[in-house]
Amino acid sequence: MVKVDKEACIGCGSCAAICDNIFMMKDGKAVVVSGKDGASDECIKEAIDICPVDAIIE
Ligand code: SF4
């Protein structure tokens, strides 16, 4: 289950840019798109790799 650590997220937008079916930006932080909590998608791994502060937890 993919999650974003809101405290850690610095709002760079990279995850939402490369994986917009799973992540979106809200109030300056990334959130998992509603209904996608249990989703598995190859781009989640890319987002985890690209996140500069390791805020994405799978
Ligand atoms: Fe936040 Fe990481 Fe996504 Fe950037 S890539 S918006 S820091 S979760």
Side-chain angles (χ1 to χ4, degrees), residues 4 9-15 25 30 51-53 55-56:
V4 174
C9 175
I10 57 169
C12 72
S14 297
C15 57
M25 302 307 293
C51 178
V53 291
I56 303 168

Side-chain angles (χ1 to χ4, degrees), residues 32-55:
V32 175
V33 172
S34 172
K36 297 284 185 165
D37 304 5
S40 85
D41 195 298
E42 200 47 43
C43 72
I44 293 173
K45 293 196 182 352
E46 289 175 39
I48 289 170
D49 284 346
I50 209 170
C51 178
V53 291
D54 294 332

Side-chain angles (χ1 to χ4, degrees), residues 4-40:
V4 174
D5 178 345
K6 265 195 150 175
E7 302 296 315
C9 175
I10 57 169
C12 72
S14 297
C15 57
I18 64 161
C19 196
D20 68 347
N21 59 330
I22 304 291
F23 303 102
M24 59 181 271
M25 302 307 293
K26 189 177 175 198
D27 300 329
K29 303 274 182 171
V31 294
V32 175
V33 172
S34 172
K36 297 284 185 165
D37 304 5
S40 85

